Amino acid sequence: MATINPHINFNGNAEEAFIFYKSVFGGEFTKIIRFKDISGPEFPVAEKEENKIMHIALPIGKNNTLMGNDVPEILGTVNENEHRSKISISADSKDEADKLFNGLSVGGTIEMPIADSPWGSYFGMFRDKYGIEWMVEFVVDVIH
């Protein structure tokens, strides 16, 4: 069964905000990815944005994770009074991710079609027909 977690967009201060959230909730970050970590020929990153946060995750409680990122300047700024958070669904399989993405996005606007991402997961993003923003992701845990 899929889990749902809040995801917050920031205008360049995601790291500062998440350090604050960590001071309140406690715990340790399970993931910090900077834009420079995924930079490559297919996904070039401007030097001024390479240290910004592409993805950060802070577990809260047993089953929830607060996630966030900085929005690259090329995509504009986030209106701090609206449209800065998304609901993130972590699916248990690609099939489940497809089902949820395809079902919830009906009548909405696809922002990023669901597909393999540059950071190694199966990911898609959309705004549903009610204006709610969603991200659907499936991550295969690789055991070494």
Side-chain angles (χ1 to χ4, degrees):
M1 172 67 85
T3 59
I4 295 178
N5 296 293
H7 185 102
I8 308 168
N9 292 314
F10 292 88
N11 290 317
N13 61 343
E15 187 167 15
E16 174 187 334
F18 269 75
I19 289 170
F20 169 73
Y21 299 146
K22 181 179 169 184
S23 76
V24 174
F25 291 109
E28 296 297 327
F29 299 125
T30 56
K31 190 172 284 188
I32 299 175
I33 301 171
R34 298 186 186 280
F35 281 103
K36 67 181 177 186
D37 298 333
I38 62 165
S39 180
E42 352 40 76
F43 192 79
V45 175
E47 187 175 334
K48 66 182 176 181
E49 299 204 305
E50 62 186 12
N51 285 314
K52 289 183 180 178
I53 300 294
M54 186 270 171
H55 180 74
I56 190 166
L58 177 66
I60 298 177
K62 290 182 180 180
N63 300 313
N64 296 38
T65 302
L66 179 62
M67 295 180 279
N69 68 282
D70 288 314
V71 174
E73 289 178 19
I74 194 168
L75 297 179
T77 57
V78 176
N79 180 329
E80 295 189 356
N81 295 315
E82 58 181 275
H83 308 301
R84 76 178 295 175
S85 61
K86 296 182 183 293
I87 298 172
S88 176
I89 303 174
S90 299
D92 285 337
S93 67
K94 272 190 172 184
D95 287 342
E96 183 181 43
D98 285 333
K99 177 184 174 198
L100 295 168
F101 185 92
N102 294 331
L104 289 168
S105 65
V106 169
T109 304
I110 306 293
E111 296 172 349
M112 179 182 252
I114 194 157
D116 292 329
S117 71
W119 53 91
S121 69
Y122 188 64
F123 178 85
M125 194 164 51
F126 61 93
R127 182 184 299 267
D128 72 17
K129 63 184 175 185
Y130 303 104
I132 304 302
E133 296 183 74
W134 297 83
M135 297 185 304
V136 176
E137 183 171 44
F138 169 65
V139 179
V140 178
D141 292 327
V142 179
I143 300 173
H144 299 283

